Amino acid sequence: MGTIGKAVRTVVWGTAIALMASPGIAAAAEQGGMGGMKMEGHDHAAHGGHDMKNGEKIFSGKVGPWTAEARLIDMKAQMEQSGVSAATAARFAGKRHLMLFLTDPATGKPAAGVSGKVVVTGPDKASSSKVTLVVMGEHIGADVGMPTPGKYTFKAEIESADKKGSATFSYTLK
Ligand SMILES: [Cu+2]
């Protein structure tokens, strides 16, 4: 009985990963790159299924020459929605996935060749962490630890081969 239960969980988990990973791989394939492989190598499964409409918009405005939108995904909530066990979803507690969509205002298309870093300062102000945003289909993103309620400030520095920009925005975690 226990063995069967474990096997079933494994199958469900594997399916969840495949389902969540596929939109990202499709997006990468559309761009003609091998981004899908990179996404699979990312150390968490929750980030594969997001797109423009997922998560909560926490910023929109200009970042240097680009039009930008930042979104935050509650990874535990996303895992719960995907139907994994409560124990599996609990492993994502206190984690958010930060996404930055950068658009070239002249063409309306996602900016190419952008990368960046974000310094995240938490509610206690004494501690901050720096994350590197990596290319994920049409956005650049990273997981950030947001374990306690309060105000978090994000200071983003974005650059491409010949342009750069920065923005600061904040989010209050309830
Ligand atoms: Cu992402």
Side-chain angles (χ1 to χ4, degrees), residues 26 74 79 102 143 145 151 159:
D74 181 335
M79 291 309 284
L102 296 158
D143 292 346
K151 187 178 177 184
E159 59 184 21

Side-chain angles (χ1 to χ4, degrees), residues 59-70:
F59 169 78
S60 78
K62 297 289 276 179
V63 176
W66 304 288
T67 304
E69 179 172 318

Side-chain angles (χ1 to χ4, degrees), residues 39 42 44 46-48 50 73 97-101 134-137 139-143:
M39 287 187 71
H42 212 61
H44 58 92
H47 103 278
H50 55 253
I73 290 181
H97 186 63
L98 174 67
M99 305 186 283
L100 215 54
F101 294 87
V134 302
V135 176
M136 301 175 168
H139 68 276
I140 52 177
D143 292 346

Side-chain angles (χ1 to χ4, degrees), residues 115-172:
S115 62
K117 290 192 183 344
V118 179
V119 176
V120 184
T121 307
D124 66 1
K125 302 237 174 30
S127 65
S128 66
S129 58
K130 194 174 204 177
V131 294
T132 299
L133 301 170
V134 302
V135 176
M136 301 175 168
E138 295 194 339
H139 68 276
I140 52 177
D143 292 346
V144 292
M146 297 173 64
T148 51
K151 187 178 177 184
Y152 289 78
T153 301
F154 302 86
K155 203 167 179 302
E157 306 272 348
I158 310 298
E159 59 184 21
S160 67
D162 56 348
K163 295 169 191 155
K164 61 166 66 173
S166 62
T168 301
F169 44 92
S170 59
Y171 176 79
T172 300

Side-chain angles (χ1 to χ4, degrees), residues 16-30 39 47-51 137:
I17 291 172
L19 286 174
M20 286 185 292
S22 50
I25 288 170
E30 271 170 35
M39 287 187 71
H47 103 278
H50 55 253
D51 58 26

